[in-house]
Structures are given as C-alpha cells and as structure tokens.
Amino acid sequence: MNPYILDSNFFIQAHRSNYPFDVVPSFWNKVRQLAEDGLIISIDKVRDEIFKNDDELTSWCHDNLPDDFFKDSSLAISEYAMLANWANSKNDHYKQSAIDEFLDTDEADAWIIAFAMNQNTSLLTHEKSDPMRKSKIKMPDVCNDFGVHYVSTLDMFRGLGVTF
C-alpha cells in the first residue's frame, strides 16, 4: 500500500482548530505512529510551510516525525512540469495571479500534487473543489483533471482502519 501524502492544512488545521495538542493528544500519537509505520508522508515544501511559523506545531513535527517523513519534492519535477503546462493553458479561466500563486516554487500545492502523481498515491487535503473559481486554483480540481485520488482526514483514517 502506498502511503498517503499529507498537505500542510492537515497539520495546521488539526493543531489550530480540530485537534489541539492539549485536548486530543491521542490524535497526535496516532499521527506519529502512522508516520513511523510509513503509512503517511509529506514533502519538503509542506515542511517549509509548517516550519515558517516556528511554533508548537513546528516543534511537534521536529520532535515526533521520522527524519525521512518530508520527501524531496524535486523527485517529481517532470510531473510538476506537466502541472505547469496545464496551469498556463488555463489562462482563459484562471486569473494570472491564481496561476502564479499555484506555480510559485515556494508553495506546496503544485509540488504535492506532482509528488502524488509521481508516487501513484492518495493526497490528503482539506481543500474543496471549486471549478468555477477564477482567483485560486484549488487542489481537488487539479487532481480531478489528472486522476489523482484525494481524501479528507476521516477518509484516510477509515481507509487505514484507524480508530481512536
């Protein structure tokens, strides 16, 4: 079974809203276990998005995730190039600012989709499809065009047979 690849919003929303460390430590223990078992991974661009806040979540990730949890996104450079071509071909729909944001090499969205394509694995994101939106390219809409399977947190836990 290929591991699920996690978007930064999985960590950030869990930490800030849904599963704070002090209220739901069992959630974070389970995340650590899934990471140690190789059932979940992410990429360096997600790490950078998380670590730029230098907060409690940064410390937790540093202290609890395996050293190889955040994979090198450049392994998916050819898939990223395909996504760049796709995004640029959508300039009749999306605003240029949306395309520029999606393709910003410091942003994780395009890279994590490219990595999911490269690894033939499922992507976990909290984003929702919004194909009519012009001001932002939403990850599920790209995934739909490229046949990348994406899931929610609960879908991933169900798929892994995880209970609390």
Side-chain angles (χ1 to χ4, degrees), residues 51 56-67 70:
F51 283 26
E56 189 178 16
L57 178 59
T58 302
S59 297
W60 185 90
C61 289
H62 186 267
D63 294 342
N64 290 279
L65 296 175
D67 291 339
F70 294 106

Side-chain angles (χ1 to χ4, degrees), residues 2 10 27 41 53 59 72 79 84 91 109 145 158 160-161:
N2 288 339
F10 167 83
F27 173 86
I41 60 171
N53 293 319
S59 297
D72 181 0
E79 291 82 2
N91 64 353
D109 289 5
D145 277 8
R158 285 186 181 113
L160 293 171

